[in-house]
């Protein structure tokens, strides 16, 4: 018993004091933990703008990045904090963990956003503010602002790849946000230092010494004894003194430098002889780096022709091609007609538009219905795998940066395809093209996400491919024709373009583009080189149907005259024109 002894009571009284202390530690730790959780909770709710649940949030590319990044950076930590205290959360984490993105996904998303910058000429500031992207229908997709932590990841990625101008572009945005942002990170924070440090270095490497000096000087105000910064400043001065570089005060970007004014006299280090005090002009803050500079910097480092092709790709993806008068006249003569010459198409005519003269490209409008498109997408969804390409050297299939999409091949008679939609759509494609389906490949469904693309390529094997791979012509023959069905169109970007003839087709839901990859004599038609442009907002779904050369003699008889492209089939003769 305790009560009968004063000493005993004194003892438990002390114990209680200790317990109270532990409890109050526990409460304040927990409160801190809950405060952090609450801040994160509010941040996610606010940025996802829960008034409009569903998919609209992830139509904007940097919002997609933010979701992916939150899983890698935040949710993982939150699991450790919450799951031991809450069964529902713990079991949700267990169920969902298999779907969580990882660092590879973050890196892939950064690369995709950099690709979108290059092709659609979008500045870091545009993405970072979540400025609107105009959609094909004229509506707008808006994003959420980026915080400085996310910006630093983009800076570091460009830095690692030695893309100095790009790095400086993101750096400029981050530096500006540091000065003006709501979530104020003072110069004493490691984030401030890290951003400024990368920014200054990238500016220097990008050849913008004026600005590099200004940022370094600003850093020296806050870190006057920092050895490396002092060394950098000295190096900059040496360059100027030797006349290797000139400072250009007219390029000054004064507005991004916070008060107080730079005073290099504050640097206290006997070794350093600072002779230069940058002149800062508050008005000259428009643009330090021209867009042209940014995009030249990140051009393809491959061979020259490939570089040229990529240039065409980028140009065509971004804007409507300008036509020569000759092509313009040809395009104006193109027709539309109803095709009604098979029993099935007699009942349901197929709308054909001749979209381009050479290579002849046809568009079959409303080839499939909304329900069919949705059904094919939902059958494909669980089967999607990262698209692979043939490595011409090794003959192996592998992932590649130039083909970024997910792919599924659809058989006839899949158990979930109760209505036989795959088979029905195959028949419709046969009716439209009049090509024999016997040697055709399965339907290949492709889904492109943010920045998803397929750079210029041929669908058929070229003679060069066959030589390199010592490949014999297969029994089914080369891919004679492509039918590309648009199952779902993206909000912005994602055109199909033909680099060598300057054609640009915007995805049009339920329509299909058709062209021959082979000339009538069976040789590859090298003018058919084409590409799928990066998806800028939303997502794009297409289906490829590749017909093979074997068994097509009735629709497309061989012709030794290899250039008679336009005369080579009933379809192309336009004999159905009404
Ligand atoms: O997505 C596109 O527009 C083109 C796709 C393509 O060319 C292909 O998958 O072979
Ligand atoms: Fe293709």
């Amino acid at each position: 018993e305790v009560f009968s002894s004063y000493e005993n009571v004194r003892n438990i009284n002390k114990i209680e004091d200790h317990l109270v202390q532990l409890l109050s530690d526990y409460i304040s730790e927990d409160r801190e933990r809950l405060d952090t959780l609450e801040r994160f909770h509010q941040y996610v709710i606010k940025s996802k703008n829960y008034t409009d649940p569903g998919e609209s949030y992830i139509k904007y590319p940097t919002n997609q990045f933010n979701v992916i990044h939150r899983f890698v950076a935040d949710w993982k930590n939150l699991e450790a904090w919450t799951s031991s205290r809450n069964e529902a959360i713990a079991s949700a984490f267990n169920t969902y963990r298999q779907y969580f993105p990882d660092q590879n996904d973050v890196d892939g998303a950064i690369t995709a956003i950099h690709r979108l910058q290059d092709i659609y000429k979008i500045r870091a500031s545009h993405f970072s503010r979540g400025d609107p992207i105009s959609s094909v229908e004229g509506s707008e997709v808006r994003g959420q602002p980026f915080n400085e932590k996310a910006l630093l990841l983009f800076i570091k990625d460009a830095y690692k790849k030695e893309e100095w101008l790009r790095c400086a572009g993101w750096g400029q945005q981050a530096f500006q946000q540091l000065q003006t942002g709501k979530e104020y990170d003072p110069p004493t924070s490691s984030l401030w230092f890290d951003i400024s440090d990368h920014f200054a270095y990238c500016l220097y490497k990008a050849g913008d010494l004026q600005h590099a000096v200004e940022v370094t000087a600003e850093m020296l105000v806050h870190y006057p004894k920092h050895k490396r910064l002092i060394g950098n400043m000295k190096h900059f001065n040496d360059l100027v003194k030797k006349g290797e570089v000139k400072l250009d005060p007219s390029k000054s970007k004064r507005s991004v430098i916070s008060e107080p004014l730079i005073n290099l006299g504050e640097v206290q280090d006997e070794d350093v002889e600072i002779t230069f005090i940058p002149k800062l002009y508050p008005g000259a803050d428009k643009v330090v780096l021209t867009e042209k500079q940014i995009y030249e910097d990140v051009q393809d480092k491959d061979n020259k022709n490939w570089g040229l092709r990529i240039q065409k790709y980028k140009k065509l993806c971004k804007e409507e091609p300008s036509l020569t008068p000759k092509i313009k006249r040809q395009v104006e003569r193109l027709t539309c007609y109803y095709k009604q010459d098979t029993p099935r198409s007699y009942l349901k005519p197929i709308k054909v538009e001749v979209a381009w003269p050479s290579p002849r490209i046809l568009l079959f409008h409303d080839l499939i219905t909304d329900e069919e498109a949705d059904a094919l997408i939902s059958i494909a969804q669980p089967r999607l795998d990262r698209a692979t390409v043939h490595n011409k050297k090794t003959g192996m299939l592998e992932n590649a940066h130039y083909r970024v999409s997910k792919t599924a091949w659809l058989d006839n008679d899949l158990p979930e395809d109760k209505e036989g939609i795959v088979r029905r759509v195959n028949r419709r494609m046969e009716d439209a093209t009049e090509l024999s389906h016997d040697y055709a490949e399965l339907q290949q469904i492709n889904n492109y996400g943010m920045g998803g693309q397929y750079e210029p390529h041929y669908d058929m094997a070229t003679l060069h491919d066959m030589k390199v791979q010592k490949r014999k012509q297969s029994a089914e023959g080369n891919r004679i024709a492509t039918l590309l069905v648009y199952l779902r169109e993206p909000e912005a970007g994602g055109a199909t373009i033909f680099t060598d003839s300057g054609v640009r087709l915007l995805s049009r839901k339920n329509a299909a583009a058709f062209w021959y990859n082979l000339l009538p004599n069976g040789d590859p038609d090298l003018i058919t080189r084409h590409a799928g442009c990066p998806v800028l907002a939303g997502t794009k779904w297409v289906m490829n149907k590749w017909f093979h050369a074997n068994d097509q003699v009735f629709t497309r008889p061989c012709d030794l005259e290899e250039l008679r492209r336009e005369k080579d089939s009933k379809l192309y003769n336009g004999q159905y024109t009404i």
Side-chain angles (χ1 to χ4, degrees), residues 58-59 151 155 157 230 251 311 526 529:
I58 53 164
K59 283 184 177 161
L151 288 169
I155 296 170
D157 187 83
I230 293 169
K251 270 180 148 192
Q311 284 306 305
L526 297 179
R529 198 196 312 262

Side-chain angles (χ1 to χ4, degrees), residues 321-331 356:
S322 53
L323 306 180
T324 63
K326 187 173 159 219
I327 304 250
K328 210 167 178 177
R329 276 198 302 281
Q330 282 180 332
V331 170
W356 201 256

Side-chain angles (χ1 to χ4, degrees), residues 383 412-419:
R383 298 186 156 76
N412 282 333
D413 306 321
L414 291 166
E416 61 273 49
D417 182 17
K418 294 199 180 58
E419 293 173 48

Side-chain angles (χ1 to χ4, degrees), residues 87 89 176 228 248 288 298 328 335 361 367 475 499 555 557:
E87 243 172 65
I89 294 183
Q176 205 147 15
R228 186 164 47 75
D248 181 1
V288 172
V298 290
K328 210 167 178 177
T335 54
I361 302 171
L367 186 68
T499 43
T555 318

Side-chain angles (χ1 to χ4, degrees), residues 550-561:
N550 201 353
D551 218 18
Q552 309 294 3
V553 281
F554 298 112
T555 318
R556 203 186 195 232
C558 295
D559 191 327
L560 293 179
E561 181 72 60

Side-chain angles (χ1 to χ4, degrees), residues 362-520:
L362 303 183
L363 272 175
F364 299 117
H365 289 278
D366 299 317
L367 186 68
I368 58 169
T369 63
D370 282 346
E371 292 72 34
E372 286 165 344
D374 289 348
L376 294 178
I377 287 173
S378 62
I379 298 169
Q381 215 132 29
R383 298 186 156 76
L384 289 177
D385 246 322
R386 173 78 192 261
T388 48
V389 287
H390 230 105
N391 181 323
K392 290 181 183 163
K393 288 205 183 94
T394 62
M396 307 288 274
L397 291 174
E398 49 190 48
N399 287 345
H401 71 276
Y402 55 85
R403 187 172 187 195
V404 185
S405 67
K406 288 207 162 165
T407 297
W409 296 88
L410 299 191
D411 260 307
N412 282 333
D413 306 321
L414 291 166
E416 61 273 49
D417 182 17
K418 294 199 180 58
E419 293 173 48
I421 288 177
V422 173
R423 199 179 278 276
R424 195 201 303 165
V425 169
N426 278 340
R427 266 204 310 268
R428 188 106 25 82
M429 295 195 286
E430 221 179 336
D431 280 348
T433 61
E434 295 196 23
L435 288 171
S436 157
H437 188 263
D438 293 355
Y439 291 89
E441 292 173 50
L442 298 180
Q443 293 180 16
Q444 189 205 46
I445 311 279
N446 267 286
N447 177 219
Y448 300 86
M450 128 176 70
Q453 62 163 357
Y454 195 175
E455 285 184 4
H457 66 280
Y458 292 119
D459 284 354
M460 74 292 183
T462 60
L463 298 177
H464 176 75
D465 293 341
M466 291 190 228
K467 215 160 87 191
V468 172
Q469 291 169 35
K470 299 192 179 58
R471 199 149 39 102
K472 287 216 182 66
Q473 190 65 266
S474 54
E476 64 271 22
N478 209 341
R479 284 176 176 166
I480 190 173
T482 298
L483 185 68
L484 179 69
V485 187
Y486 298 105
L487 303 176
R488 192 169 292 170
E489 55 202 17
E491 249 73 10
T496 307
I497 55 129
F498 288 68
T499 43
D500 298 33
S501 48
V503 190
R504 181 171 191 260
L505 302 174
L506 293 179
S507 309
R508 187 175 304 191
K509 189 169 163 42
N510 301 342
F514 175 77
W515 67 91
Y516 279 113
N517 295 308
L518 303 184
L519 293 163

